Amino acid sequence: MKSKIYILGASGSSSWSGSDGLWIQTAKLLVQKHQVCTISPLPKETLLEHGLNPHRHIQLPALAKKPFPSRTALKVYGMGILACIRPKSGDILLFSQGSIDTFFDAMYWRWLSRLTCKRISLTQLNTEIKAYPLHLVQAGRSFFAGTATNIFVSQRNLDVAKRQFLYAFPNGRVIYNAPKFDLNELPWPENRIIQLASVGRFEVETKGQLVLLESLSKLKHKPWALNLYGNGPDEGLIREAIGFFGLGERCTIHGYVDHPEEIWRSNHALVLFSTMEGFPLVIAEAMLSGRVCAVSDVGGNRELFEGQQLDLISSPGSIPSTVAIIKNLLQKTAQELRGIGQSNTIVAKRHRLNKSMAVLAEEIEYLVDDEQN
């Protein structure tokens, strides 16, 4: 009997985010030859907008930002939905979790622990300072050991997981996040004033927009302009901060932009001073487009950097460090910046960042073939 492929995108929101990108792109390849059932808080309309039309789609409740009573009721509802989904022993499950510990959530744990099919885990994020009590470390080891392949989107996330769960992850591997679009190096923007692009969800605790704005407020004597792209719950707070730091004439909020070329045609550098990451799509997109990246040292942010690009990495949450990095960026000549951007494109293509979804699809198809032989 032909194996089915189930993909559980365990995000907390019903809106698309970067953590959904890799499993959606992979599913688009798999549906060409296999029956694929997707399970996610994302509505099917969102999947269709991204070019994915699965054999079957089951929508789970979105839990993010819900008050405790509603969240509890939604979890019970979600557990009921999952209980009706029964993959056979010869089927394959890709479990894409937004964070390293999502599988502990009661909505997923019971269902995952009862499955008899082979599974692959895909972890998008790891909170590096978090430690777990012994009983969760032991439960986590059991989960990861019972998984055919544990995929992480950066080597640093994998290394942190080894420490957190005291497990060597012999079945672990790294596959970097893939952009939604096939990107190539773009012409260098002609604007003489360096255009900085902050690209990401408007969520200041994790994406660091307040750190960026405070740091830029200390560099008002330098020529620069900041363009912010994204949406999210903290847009009002970011607008307030722009006024508080006196940056209203230097900052523009553009909202969400679907195609990264719209960003990188006119911007010279990505500025991303987040507090936690996996391997951000925005870094892959900026590198493939031939742009410079100034980032904080978390997750896989710096993992693919080489040469002068390594001089543009700050300590997370540190204003003096962030100011120093931005100052270093602003002092570079256009020729130097263009050279860094060109080097980034070469590195990104060497790591096949445009092909990550094909690598993950091959990993899943290997298990499918193994089940059928």
Side-chain angles (χ1 to χ4, degrees), residues 132-153:
Y132 298 96
L134 179 59
H135 72 282
L136 290 183
V137 169
Q138 293 169 337
R141 275 204 303 257
S142 176
F143 172 80
F144 290 119
T147 301
T149 308
N150 293 294
I151 295 169
F152 294 81
V153 297

Side-chain angles (χ1 to χ4, degrees), residues 343-372:
S343 175
N344 281 346
T345 299
I346 294 170
V347 172
K349 289 188 177 295
R350 188 197 315 145
H351 286 276
R352 300 180 65 204
L353 292 187
N354 270 335
K355 305 297 181 183
S356 297
M357 70 292 286
V359 177
L360 179 53
E362 290 170 3
E363 186 77 33
I364 295 170
E365 289 185 317
Y366 174 80
L367 291 183
V368 171
D369 294 340
D370 187 51
E371 284 295 323
Q372 293 177 351

Side-chain angles (χ1 to χ4, degrees), residues 9-17 19-20 40-42 60-68 70-72 74-75 98 102 105 107-108 201 203 232-233:
S11 59
S13 172
S14 58
S15 301
W16 183 91
S17 67
S19 62
D20 298 305
S40 167
L42 298 178
L60 293 174
L63 303 178
K65 308 297 182 183
K66 296 291 192 301
F68 179 74
S70 299
R71 186 179 175 89
T72 302
L74 287 171
K75 279 190 179 186
T102 302
D105 192 297
M107 192 164 84
Y108 304 116
R201 183 167 173 77
E203 195 168 79

Side-chain angles (χ1 to χ4, degrees), residues 26-61:
T26 302
K28 287 168 63 176
L29 295 177
L30 293 170
V31 294
Q32 298 173 25
K33 296 189 292 183
H34 305 277
Q35 282 195 3
V36 177
C37 173
T38 54
I39 311 161
S40 167
L42 298 178
K44 187 170 183 179
E45 291 75 16
T46 299
L47 302 187
L48 293 173
E49 288 172 4
H50 287 82
L52 172 59
N53 188 11
H55 175 73
R56 184 185 179 197
H57 178 67
I58 301 167
Q59 188 173 357
L60 293 174

